[in-house]
Amino acid sequence: MAKLSGFGGRLYSGEISFNIVENRKRWYSISAVFIIASMAALGFQGLHLGIEFKGGASYTINKASVTVEQARASVENIGIPGEVIVQKIGDSKIRIQTGSLTSAESQAVENALTSTFNVTAESIDTQLVGPSWGKEITKKALYGLIAFLLAVMLFLAMAFEPKMAIAAIVAVVHDVFITVGIYALVGFDVTPATVIGFLTILGYSLYDTVVVFDKVRENTKSVAANSKMTYSQAANLAVNQTLVRSANTSIIALLPVGAILFVGAGLLGAGTLKDLSLALFIGLAVGTYSSVFIAPPFLAQLREKEPAMQALAKRVAARGGAPVVAEVKAARPSTGSGPRNQPKRKGRK
C-alpha cells in the first residue's frame, strides 16, 4: 500500500506522468474495435429480449427433484411453437419461458407440468405477458433513457461548461453501446433487471467522469493567462492526478459485482442475478475506461480548436514547451531543507 500511495503521490505531483490525452488516437482505435464488434453482434445476433419486452409466458415450479431436461421434454412434447427457454433457479426452482400462447396452449403447458412433476396447478407460478404490454415497457425505457441523457447534459452544462457536457455524453453513449453489444454477443436475455443495470452504469460512468472533469477544470482555470502549459497538458496532468483514485474506486466496485456474476450466477446457479450482474460488470469496466481514456481526450480535442487555446499552444511552443513536471514543481511550495539560520556573529571589537 505504501508503494501504491507513493506512486499516486508522484502522479499527483507530476514527477511521473502517462501521456493519455496526447495519445487519444490510440484510445479511439481501441474503442472503435469494440464498437465495430458491438455493431456486428447487434446486427447478426441481436438482443435476446425477455418476455417482459416481447411478450410470452413464464412457468416457475418449486420442487427440488425438477431437472432442466425433464421440464424441456414435457413442454416440447406438446408441440409449443417458438423457442422454449428452461432455466434452473437455485436448487429447487426451475423456470420455463415460451413465446406468446393462447389460453388453450397455456392450459396444455400447465397440464403437462402438473402431470410430469406431480404438482398442483396452483403451485405453478404462471405469468402471461402480452406483446402490446412489452412494447409499452420498451417505449417507456427508451423515453426514460433519452430524458436521463438530456437532464445530465443540462446539468453538466450548467455546473461545468457545454463542451464538458458533450464529452461526458459521448463517453456515456460509448459505454452503453459497447455494453449492449457485449450483452448481445453473450446472449443473455434482456430483462427489467438488465435495464436497471444499464441505468446504474450510466450513473457510475458519469460520476467518475465528473470527478476527472472537476480536476481538469481546476487545472485549466487560468491556463490561458499563465502560458505555461497547453490545455491538453493541463488536462493530462488532471487525468494522472485522479488515475489512482479511479482505479481504486473501480476495483472496489467490480469486486462485489464480479462475485455475484462468477460465483453467484456461475457456480451457484443464481440465474436471476446473471442479467443484472453481467450488465453491471461490463458497464463498470467500460465506464472506468471511458472516464480516463475517452472523455478527457475528447474534451481536450474540442477545447484545442478554440482560437484562445491555439494561441496558447503557440506561446508554449515558442517558450520551448516547458515540461509539465517543471511547472508543477514550480507551483508547489518548497519543502526541501535549506541552510539553517545561523545566529549572527558579533563583530570583532
Side-chain angles (χ1 to χ4, degrees):
M1 291 298 293
K3 292 183 179 179
L4 183 60
S5 176
F7 177 73
R10 283 180 289 170
L11 280 174
Y12 194 90
S13 66
E15 295 179 15
I16 57 176
S17 179
F18 299 105
N19 198 357
I20 296 173
V21 173
E22 293 294 339
N23 290 326
R24 60 174 68 96
K25 292 183 179 180
R26 180 182 301 174
W27 319 128
Y28 292 168
S29 300
I30 295 174
S31 295
V33 171
F34 281 97
I35 289 174
I36 293 173
S38 299
M39 292 175 62
L42 290 171
F44 290 102
Q45 188 166 338
L47 291 172
H48 292 265
L49 298 178
I51 63 172
E52 295 87 355
F53 295 98
K54 66 180 180 181
S58 173
Y59 306 89
T60 304
I61 303 171
N62 188 359
K63 193 173 182 179
S65 60
V66 177
T67 64
V68 173
E69 292 76 14
Q70 289 175 328
R72 186 182 299 278
S74 64
V75 175
E76 289 179 348
N77 290 335
I78 307 173
I80 296 298
E83 182 183 8
V84 177
I85 301 174
V86 183
Q87 290 179 316
K88 186 77 173 179
I89 303 175
D91 296 328
S92 61
K93 285 186 179 182
I94 198 159
R95 183 172 62 190
I96 301 100
Q97 292 180 329
T98 68
S100 299
L101 303 177
T102 63
S103 299
E105 290 173 337
S106 178
Q107 186 63 45
V109 172
E110 289 188 4
N111 293 337
L113 295 176
T114 55
S115 175
T116 302
F117 302 111
N118 194 23
V119 295
T120 62
E122 290 75 14
S123 64
I124 300 177
D125 183 12
T126 304
Q127 295 180 348
L128 301 177
V129 180
S132 60
W133 190 85
K135 291 180 181 179
E136 186 68 20
I137 292 296
T138 304
K139 186 190 302 183
K140 290 183 178 179
L142 292 175
Y143 287 165
L145 177 61
I146 294 172
F148 174 82
L149 293 177
L150 291 176
V152 167
M153 181 175 287
L154 180 62
F155 170 77
L156 291 177
M158 295 174 60
F160 292 95
E161 60 181 65
K163 290 182 179 178
M164 283 188 175
I166 294 173
I169 294 300
V170 167
V172 167
V173 174
H174 163 277
D175 299 343
V176 173
F177 198 86
I178 293 179
T179 304
V180 171
I182 297 177
Y183 206 90
L185 188 63
V186 174
F188 283 4
D189 287 341
V190 177
T191 65
T194 308
V195 177
I196 294 173
F198 287 155
L199 294 177
T200 303
I201 65 174
L202 292 182
Y204 179 86
S205 176
L206 284 170
Y207 166 75
D208 211 11
T209 302
V210 165
V211 170
V212 177
F213 278 0
D214 187 61
K215 193 63 182 177
V216 171
R217 180 177 61 176
E218 179 183 338
N219 287 2
T220 60
K221 189 174 182 180
S222 56
V223 66
N226 293 333
S227 301
K228 297 178 180 179
M229 291 183 286
T230 65
Y231 188 93
S232 293
Q233 289 174 333
N236 189 74
L237 176 61
V239 174
N240 280 270
Q241 288 175 329
T242 56
L243 191 59
V244 172
R245 180 197 175 283
S246 298
N248 290 338
T249 305
S250 302
I251 292 173
I252 295 301
L254 284 171
L255 284 176
V257 176
I260 295 173
L261 177 60
F262 298 108
V263 179
L267 299 179
L268 303 181
T272 55
L273 298 176
K274 66 179 184 180
D275 45 5
L276 173 62
S277 57
L278 178 64
L280 286 176
F281 189 85
I282 298 173
L284 290 176
V286 177
T288 302
Y289 172 82
S290 68
S291 65
V292 174
F293 297 99
I294 299 298
F298 188 77
L299 171 64
Q301 187 176 2
L302 292 177
R303 292 298 306 272
E304 289 288 0
K305 294 180 180 179
E306 299 176 2
M309 296 304 149
Q310 292 178 350
L312 172 64
K314 292 180 180 179
R315 293 197 301 269
V316 173
R319 295 177 63 246
V324 178
V325 177
E327 302 298 341
V328 174
K329 288 183 177 180
R332 296 174 60 199
S334 176
T335 55
S337 58
R340 296 181 180 178
N341 293 329
Q342 300 293 336
K344 293 182 179 180
R345 296 181 180 181
K346 296 181 180 180
R348 295 180 180 180
K349 295 182 181 179

